[in-house]
Each structure stands twice: as structure tokens, then as C-alpha cells.
Amino acid sequence: MELSAFIQAAEKLNVLGLNVTQHGELIARWRSEGECRRNIYSATKSFTSCAVGFALQEGLLSLDEKLTDAFAGDLPAIVNENLRKATVRDLLTMCLGQAVGSLMAEQRPFYDEDDWVKLSLSIPFEYAPGTKFVYSNVGPYLAGVLVQRRAGCDLIEYLTPRLFTPLGIKRPTWETDPLGNSFGAGGLFLTISELHRFGLFCLNKGRWNGQQLLSEQWIKESTAAADVPYYGYLFWRGEHNSYRADGKYCQLSIVMDAKDAVVTVVAECRRTQELMRAVYDLVCAQL
């Protein structure tokens, strides 16, 4: 793969690394500095999506379960009709029904309330679930908490035997809320190679080293368009009929089923659209 045009763009956009695998072979690898674990920000959400998938196949929860049942002890004094309609599935689509994004990075250090579950559910549900896309950390955070409560352990402990260990990811660091719950919406720290293996796991439809870890059906459902054409269950949809784990400052693992390929990037880029364009035009288009 010819990378000179991409590298020229990447050096101006604070790209730290690139991995490209196609047909099971690593065909391109580039680094601007040594590889280390970094915050993958909202790419964490895609790991939480898989945690929900594992919990679903183990019978710990149902996507149709009402939030008023799943979080019965955490509800506000007044529960409106939109909150009554909301289900576990709505936690995964960014169409939960709240009008503003909450639990975002610039908000979390300044909340007076330490119980973020009660805080999240107290935010008004102004829209019917499934009707309006509002990017927020509330849904994936609550989804992660639900998995933790049902499994009786945090998300690191839950995913270690099911996902991390099989993929060769030694115990990672993961941000927590003030009460110690893994923050399912962000704050997972991985190397580019570890994030890339996650993309390959998704490309392989939940199969790794000959073993079906997570159901193929869940991978297909969670990475397909849900309530809007550009978002699934905590995965973004994109060009080349792709889907991706996507974190702030361009932590990306882009999966292209039709090309049997995964492109992973880590960066400290504030010009997101410019870098996405370079990845699509100068890397993905070659595959």
C-alpha cells in the first residue's frame, strides 16, 4: 500500500499511528512516535456495545426491558411518558429521548451529584425514544452500569475473560464514575494494536482464533443502522459501507466488510473532518 500521500497529510494532523489489515494480513503500518496506551475516548462505547451483547447472550438482560424496570430504584419522583417508553435498546442508539448531551468530558468533573445513574435519569426525556438523535454519554453509561449490576463486577472484570484475554489485551485502565462504576461511554486506554485487534474481532463477526466469542448476529445488528442511517448500537456508520469505533481526536477503527479490511488510526487531531477525509480518500480508497 502506498502511504506517502497519507503520511504527508497525517504529519500535519497530529496522527500518531496507522494500521491496515486486509484479508488477514497487516499490509500497512506507520507510526509518528512510539506506541503506548492512550485514551480512546468514545471508541470505548463500541466495547460497551459488545459487553451488552455478551450480557444478552448470557441471559443477563433484554433489549426490550424497560428502563423503569431496569433502574427501578433510581427513577426521579416524576416519570413522564417518554421515560416510561424507553428500553435498554434505546441506551445504544443516541435516540434516548433527552434533548441535550450529558456526562460529557467537560461536564463530568463538575457535577455535585456523585450518583450518575440517578443524575442521568433525572434529565428530562423530552422526546419519544427512537425519534431524535442527540449525541450523549448517558445511554452508553447506563448500558454499562446495567451490565455491571447484572454481572456483579465492573466492565474490566466482565470483558477480561470474554474479550480482552482472547484478544491479547492485558488488563487495561478504564475511567470510573465517582461510585466506582466503569464509565461505559469513554475513558478506556488501549494501544493502537489493541484497538486494531478489536476492529478485526468485529470484522470476523465475533470470532477469534477459531472460537465464536460473541454471536455473529449481535455484531451484525449492532453495527448496522438503527434509528438513523449513520449510527448503530454505539458504532458509527461511514463511507465505503463501513462502520467504526470512533473516539475524540480521531481514535478510529474502521471496519469494511466488503473489502475484508480494517483501518485503525490513533491521533491527537482537532481537525476531525479533514483527517477522516484523508483516511477515506488516501487509505480506504486503495483497498
Side-chain angles (χ1 to χ4, degrees), residues 9 32 36 87 89 91 101 119 128 136-137 168 174 216 227 265 269:
S32 66
C36 66
T87 66
R89 179 187 179 277
L91 299 176
L119 172 68
S136 176
N137 283 337
W174 198 325
E216 179 176 350
D227 292 334
V265 172
C269 178

Side-chain angles (χ1 to χ4, degrees), residues 48-98:
T48 298
S49 178
C50 287
V52 171
F54 282 114
L56 182 66
Q57 75 182 19
E58 292 168 9
L60 298 181
L61 53 78
S62 164
L63 295 188
D64 297 325
E65 187 173 355
K66 299 289 188 181
L67 297 191
T68 50
D69 294 327
F71 296 99
D74 305 290
L75 299 172
I78 299 175
V79 177
N80 74 3
E81 189 60 26
N82 291 328
L83 175 51
R84 290 187 190 281
K85 292 177 181 176
T87 66
V88 172
R89 179 187 179 277
D90 295 313
L91 299 176
L92 307 176
T93 65
M94 296 298 166
C95 294
L96 181 57
Q98 296 177 337

Side-chain angles (χ1 to χ4, degrees), residues 104-180:
M104 309 308 282
E106 66 276 11
Q107 299 168 335
R108 295 197 293 278
F110 304 105
Y111 288 123
D112 292 328
E113 174 62 70
D114 286 344
D115 189 332
W116 289 357
V117 174
K118 291 184 176 179
L119 172 68
S120 295
L121 293 167
S122 71
I123 299 167
F125 283 67
E126 298 187 18
Y127 308 102
T131 62
K132 186 174 179 62
F133 185 93
V134 176
Y135 191 82
S136 176
N137 283 337
V138 166
Y141 166 70
L142 290 175
V145 169
L146 183 59
V147 172
Q148 292 171 84
R149 288 181 175 182
R150 298 288 170 81
C153 62
D154 67 22
L155 290 179
I156 296 176
E157 296 294 338
Y158 186 66
L159 287 176
T160 290
R162 293 163 177 83
L163 181 67
F164 292 149
T165 296
L167 269 59
I169 299 173
K170 295 186 182 295
R171 182 181 178 89
T173 297
W174 198 325
E175 181 183 346
T176 65
D177 71 9
L179 301 183

